[in-house]
Amino acid sequence: MDAFMMIQRKKLTIFTDAKDNILVNELKKIIGCIIKVAPANQQLYYKDEIMDETKTLSECGLNATIAKAQSPATIGLALKMENGEFEPLEMVPYSLPPELPYVMKSQETNGQEPPM
């Protein structure tokens, strides 16, 4: 089954999907083709844990029931620096939208009046 992922590094976000039975190293190759960085120079994180590139995505906890298209799994990406160490993981959060105006809130509840 397909697992849907949102890969984040600083302000970069990549949305992709992959079979949940592929190795993490294969996911790194997919990312590498997009950002032009070799898989050996990438480090992936899921739930603040470094993903083992010899395991499959499902062995790391990513499968179709968790990583859905409407709510993809968030994976952190860190790249190797010139000194040979990986940079610290940094994912810039998105800004939150403003609160809905009262008129739109009443439409959201199917025209029902909000409780007073």
Side-chain angles (χ1 to χ4, degrees):
M1 299 290 290
D2 279 351
F4 292 85
M5 294 155 283
M6 178 173 64
I7 297 139
Q8 290 187 289
R9 175 184 176 259
K10 299 183 180 181
K11 291 186 178 183
L12 171 72
T13 303
I14 300 167
F15 287 93
T16 190
D17 67 319
K19 299 287 182 197
D20 59 10
N21 62 352
I22 69 165
L23 294 175
V24 171
N25 195 47
E26 293 297 316
L27 178 60
K28 286 183 173 185
K29 289 178 184 178
I30 293 169
I31 296 166
C33 289
I34 296 169
I35 64 172
K36 309 292 187 244
V37 175
N41 296 332
Q42 301 173 33
Q43 196 165 55
L44 298 178
Y45 295 82
Y46 179 59
K47 294 185 177 177
D48 296 325
E49 302 262 335
I50 295 173
M51 296 175 72
D52 182 351
E53 62 184 37
T54 62
K55 291 185 175 181
T56 65
L57 295 179
S58 59
E59 289 173 334
C60 291
L62 292 164
N63 56 43
T65 57
I66 293 171
K68 300 177 184 175
Q70 66 271 26
S71 60
T74 302
I75 296 178
L77 170 64
L79 301 180
K80 193 176 278 188
M81 299 183 294
E82 290 180 12
N83 65 5
E85 295 180 18
F86 284 97
E87 64 191 9
L89 180 62
E90 182 185 349
M91 298 187 302
V92 176
Y94 294 112
S95 61
L96 297 175
E99 190 175 334
L100 285 174
Y102 173 76
V103 175
M104 293 181 80
K105 283 183 183 179
S106 63
Q107 290 175 349
E108 197 173 76
T109 58
N110 296 327
Q112 298 172 354
E113 290 296 319
M116 294 285 175

